[in-house]
Amino acid sequence: METTKQLNIIMTTKLLKSLAVSVAAMFIFVSEADAFRPMRKYKFDISVNVSAGDPTSALQYYERPGLSHSTPPMVSDLYSEGMVNIEYTGLYSVRFESKLNKWLAVGGDISALRMTGDLYKGFDNRHRKSMTGNAIYVMPEVRFFYFTSKLSTLSGALQGGAGFYDGFSRKASAEFQIIPFSYTLGSRIYGRAELTFGTMMNGMTFGVGFRF
């Protein structure tokens, strides 16, 4: 009698475990299936972002054709100037996009960064003054979507526009940016991580956005 009772307990325990595993598997399957459903349709997308890396054009125009820092000094160093102790912020941006269809969106990106440094004159490193430079970029954009699900997107983008500089050796220039991979997680409100290359910045971009 006791043996039968123990056997029933063992069978009931196994049944409950099997049921729990089945429910968990079903929950995972439903969740995964739900995640791959199409994302709710939206027309517009606005985001704020920050890029970290090397600001290629800004750094080039800010450093100036300057000191060679060679040993012994070159004669040209007597008449040259250059920037040292350069520091810069990340590239901060606001991006607006309009979704044209499932695979394509167009929009624009307005970005800004600031640089600070010390201007030196001649091979004796004579300090002239500390300087601050500001750069603003206006970049129209075309975005291509590789993959879209209910909770995530994978896309790439091309940007081309102009940069405007204050406190740099150049006042304006043509700029381009290539974003081969951009991943977002979230539906209406989302987070973004993307890889970016070009004349504005070589590095990574992170941001948050809202679709409506």
Side-chain angles (χ1 to χ4, degrees):
M1 184 71 175
E2 189 66 28
T3 304
T4 303
K5 185 177 180 179
Q6 290 177 348
L7 183 60
N8 288 336
I9 292 174
I10 293 173
M11 293 297 293
T12 302
T13 302
K14 288 183 177 180
L15 181 61
L16 290 175
K17 287 182 179 179
S18 299
L19 183 60
V21 171
S22 299
V23 170
M26 185 177 297
F27 177 78
I28 294 172
F29 175 79
V30 171
S31 298
E32 291 297 320
D34 185 64
F36 281 90
R37 290 176 183 173
M39 182 177 289
R40 288 177 58 185
K41 290 185 178 180
Y42 64 92
K43 185 64 177 176
F44 302 108
D45 182 334
I46 187 168
S47 63
V48 291
N49 310 275
V50 59
S51 299
D54 293 323
T56 45
S57 286
L59 194 58
Q60 175 186 348
Y61 303 149
Y62 196 65
E63 285 181 326
R64 304 164 185 260
L67 308 175
S68 67
H69 300 290
S70 62
T71 303
M74 298 176 63
V75 175
S76 61
D77 286 339
L78 288 168
Y79 310 98
S80 298
E81 63 181 20
M83 298 298 299
V84 297
N85 303 324
I86 297 175
E87 297 181 354
Y88 47 85
T89 65
L91 182 69
Y92 296 92
S93 70
V94 176
R95 185 180 299 169
F96 180 82
E97 296 175 353
S98 176
K99 191 84 177 289
L100 300 182
N101 55 46
K102 182 179 179 181
W103 306 107
L104 186 66
V106 296
D109 187 297
I110 299 177
S111 309
L113 65 81
R114 170 171 287 197
M115 285 188 168
T116 60
D118 297 321
L119 181 64
Y120 281 75
K121 178 73 173 181
F123 63 84
D124 58 349
N125 277 350
R126 180 164 53 89
H127 180 257
R128 290 187 60 190
K129 58 182 177 179
S130 297
M131 297 183 64
T132 298
N134 298 296
I136 296 177
Y137 303 93
V138 180
M139 305 290 286
E141 174 189 282
V142 178
R143 181 169 299 275
F144 309 93
F145 289 88
Y146 311 139
F147 169 80
T148 301
S149 71
K150 184 177 180 180
L151 296 177
S152 63
T153 67
L154 182 63
S155 63
L158 299 175
Q159 296 179 344
F164 304 93
Y165 301 93
D166 176 51
F168 292 76
S169 62
R170 181 175 294 193
K171 294 299 183 182
S173 67
E175 309 286 348
F176 75 91
Q177 202 69 18
I178 300 173
I179 304 170
F181 298 105
S182 176
Y183 179 76
T184 68
L185 181 62
S187 181
R188 291 298 185 188
I189 299 175
Y190 64 87
R192 178 200 306 277
E194 62 187 23
L195 193 62
T196 183
F197 301 100
T199 56
M200 290 197 309
M201 179 72 70
N202 290 330
M204 293 287 298
T205 298
F206 303 94
V208 294
F210 177 68
R211 300 182 177 109
F212 57 99

